[in-house]
Amino acid sequence: MTDFVTAAAPAEVLADAAGPLPDGVTVPMPPTFEDVAQERRHRKEQLAAGFRLFGRFGFSEGVAGHITVRDPEHPDQFWVNPFGMSFGRITASDLILVDHEGNLLHGARPVNRAAFLIHGAVHRARPDAVAAAHSHSLHGKAFSSLGIPLDPITQDACAFFEDHGLYSDYRGVVSDAEEGRRIAAALGSYKAVILQNHGLLTVGHSVAEAVWWFITMERSCQAQLLAMAAGTPRHIDRETALHTRSQLGGHFAGWFQAQPLYEQIAHSDPDHVN
C-alpha cells in the first residue's frame, strides 16, 4: 500500500509544471487562517462551490452523492449537503453539520443516511482526510462495474497509480455502519477507492483537493472505457507512472489543479457563499 502523504513539495510541483518563476511572479497558494471561525467559513464556502461544480459536471443522480468537510474546531463532526437538495443550488448556509453517528447538530434538513455511514467511517479512519467526495457519476459507476483498478494509460490517470483501492463487496444502498468501515478499510491510506457496482470516492487535505481527485478520476475512467472499447490500451511503464504521480498526485497538486474550476464558480455562481 502506498503512502498517500508522499508527494512533491509545492515549489517542486510548480517548477515541474511552469519552470522557474521569474522574480515578482506569484501563484495561488492554500490559504492560512487567523481563527477557527474564519477557517470554518472558508471550508463551507469551498464545499458549496464543490457541489456547484459537481452539478456543472452532471454528477448528480437523484438524491445520491455527497461531499463532506471536517469541522476545523470539532474534528469528529463534518459539514455535508442537505438530503435531497440540488447540487446546483447549495449555498454555504444550506450545509448541515453531523457527527460520525449521524446526529444532526446544525441545520433544519435531514442528512442522507449513506452519507454519514460512509463518510463518518472514512473521516474516523483517516484523520488526515479533511474532505471526502462521492457521487454516482456516469463513467465512474460504469467503470466500477468492471471490478478493476484504473490503469496508467494517460498522464492524468498516473495520479492514481498504486494510489487507489477497490471495494468489491457491494450489498445495496449502504445502510449499516459495518459496510462503512469496510469501505474505509478498502480506501486505506489511498487518495481514492473504486466502489464496485457503485461509483467513486476520493479524499483530500482540502475540499478543493478531494473535489479535483473526483473530477479527474471520473474523466480517467471515461478515458479508459473509451480506450478499451477502441482496442488494447498501452500502459505507461511503472517507473514513469510513479514519477508522474509524484508530480501530479500530491496534496498541493490536487488543490492547485482545482483552482481554475473554483475561479469559474466564483465568477458564475457568486451566491454560493451566502
Side-chain angles (χ1 to χ4, degrees):
M1 182 175 293
T2 57
D3 185 357
F4 177 46
V5 302
T6 300
E12 294 170 336
V13 173
L14 293 174
D16 281 339
L21 298 177
D23 291 342
V25 175
T26 61
V27 295
M29 295 293 290
T32 57
F33 306 95
E34 296 180 357
D35 56 57
V36 71
Q38 185 184 57
E39 185 171 7
R40 178 182 294 115
R41 183 67 193 179
H42 175 77
R43 289 187 181 188
K44 291 174 67 178
E45 290 176 357
Q46 291 277 289
L47 187 57
F51 283 115
R52 298 293 181 102
L53 283 168
F54 269 34
R56 193 74 57 86
F57 276 92
F59 294 164
S60 58
E61 188 74 22
V63 299
H66 12 86
I67 313 173
T68 54
V69 64
R70 195 187 301 273
D71 186 81
E73 184 177 8
H74 306 287
D76 60 341
Q77 301 170 9
F78 56 85
W79 296 90
V80 65
N81 50 308
F83 189 38
M85 188 172 190
S86 168
F87 288 174
R89 299 289 301 272
I90 291 176
T91 69
S93 60
D94 291 321
L95 299 170
I96 60 177
L97 182 67
V98 299
D99 61 20
H100 291 172
E101 284 69 48
N103 297 309
L104 182 63
L105 306 174
H106 176 85
R109 294 186 62 158
V111 61
N112 185 334
R113 178 173 172 79
F116 75 80
L117 288 173
I118 296 174
H119 291 247
V122 167
H123 284 294
R124 184 183 290 109
R126 287 286 299 275
D128 65 304
V130 171
H134 167 65
S135 169
H136 297 179
S137 54
L138 178 60
H139 301 100
K141 61 186 177 183
F143 188 87
S144 76
S145 71
L146 301 176
I148 61 174
L150 274 173
D151 290 328
I153 62 172
T154 67
Q155 175 174 290
D156 299 317
C158 286
F160 301 95
F161 182 63
E162 297 184 2
D163 199 11
H164 67 289
L166 175 64
Y167 177 69
S168 58
D169 191 22
Y170 178 73
R171 300 186 181 186
V173 177
V174 177
S175 59
D176 65 83
E178 180 56 35
E179 185 164 8
R181 286 190 286 269
R182 290 195 298 268
I183 289 173
L187 172 66
S189 63
Y190 300 136
K191 65 163 61 77
V193 60
I194 297 172
L195 309 178
Q196 186 174 305
N197 307 111
H198 190 171
L200 311 175
L201 184 144
T202 60
V203 296
H205 281 190
S206 64
V207 178
E209 183 191 347
V211 166
W212 172 252
W213 294 143
F214 191 95
I215 291 171
T216 192
M217 191 178 200
E218 156 72 13
R219 292 166 72 87
S220 293
C221 288
Q222 181 181 9
Q224 185 165 334
L225 288 169
L226 288 170
M228 292 169 66
T232 303
R234 295 185 178 182
H235 290 198
I236 297 168
D237 67 89
R238 184 172 187 271
E239 182 179 358
T240 302
L242 287 172
H243 176 65
T244 306
R245 190 191 76 192
S246 73
Q247 296 172 302
L248 301 177
H251 302 303
F252 175 76
W255 177 88
F256 190 75
Q257 291 178 95
Q259 296 316 296
L261 296 174
Y262 270 80
E263 288 180 7
Q264 290 181 26
I265 292 300
H267 177 74
S268 65
D269 295 35
D271 65 308
H272 77 277
V273 302
N274 295 341

